[in-house]
Amino acid sequence: MDWHFLRTILLPLLGAALILLVFLDVFLTVLFARIGTGVLSHPLACYTWLVLRAASKPFRKHRGQLLAVVGPLMLPMLVGVWILLLVLGFALIFYPFLGTGIIATSGSTPTDFSTAIYLAGDSLTTVGASDIAPRYPLIRIAYLICSFTGLSILTLTLTSPLPPPSPSPSPPPSPS
């Protein structure tokens, strides 16, 4: 397979797929908050619980207290996974354009993948205040989407109210 095809077509498509996966998980976890519907959050919660449950076995006396930390630990861990996947997804989109469509404002433009990671993380978290800037209109739009995504995911996740508790089943009618 041709490296140019892989680099310019498949890597950005893989990046877009990762971004859409995070969008789906955010929607199912935060906006459509139903237990077990998240494609990333539910398995992450289950595996975290299994690992911490196994790790807490030697601490019999304080096991309950240790396991009580799993719930509060999940939110920062899940947001961290979302951010890492978003940075990776946008880096895969930006990587083929380093040096041509994305250039340094001074000096030569680095074209390694770590620069793409830096660029995606910078745009995702700070609305792109980097020393590397996009030249082409479509890449500028991708930067804008990256910045909007980072701001939206963080604010939506951290300010979203908890879903209301599910109604308890009504007791069966008493026989008269």
Side-chain angles (χ1 to χ4, degrees), residues 79-127:
V79 171
V81 167
W82 285 341
I83 289 172
L84 285 174
L85 289 177
L86 286 171
V87 166
L88 181 60
F90 280 108
L92 288 170
I93 291 173
F94 295 154
Y95 179 58
F97 300 102
L98 287 174
T100 57
I102 302 171
I103 58 169
T105 54
S106 62
S108 64
T109 306
T111 57
D112 55 337
F113 191 68
S114 63
T115 301
I117 294 277
Y118 161 73
L119 200 59
D122 183 55
S123 181
L124 195 70
T125 58
T126 63
V127 193

Side-chain angles (χ1 to χ4, degrees), residues 23 83 86 90 120-128 143-159:
F23 283 173
I83 289 172
L86 286 171
F90 280 108
D122 183 55
S123 181
L124 195 70
T125 58
T126 63
V127 193
Y143 262 52
L144 179 65
I145 291 170
C146 183
S147 296
F148 181 74
T149 298
L151 292 172
S152 299
I153 296 290
L154 286 174
T155 56
L156 177 69
T157 303
L158 299 177
T159 61

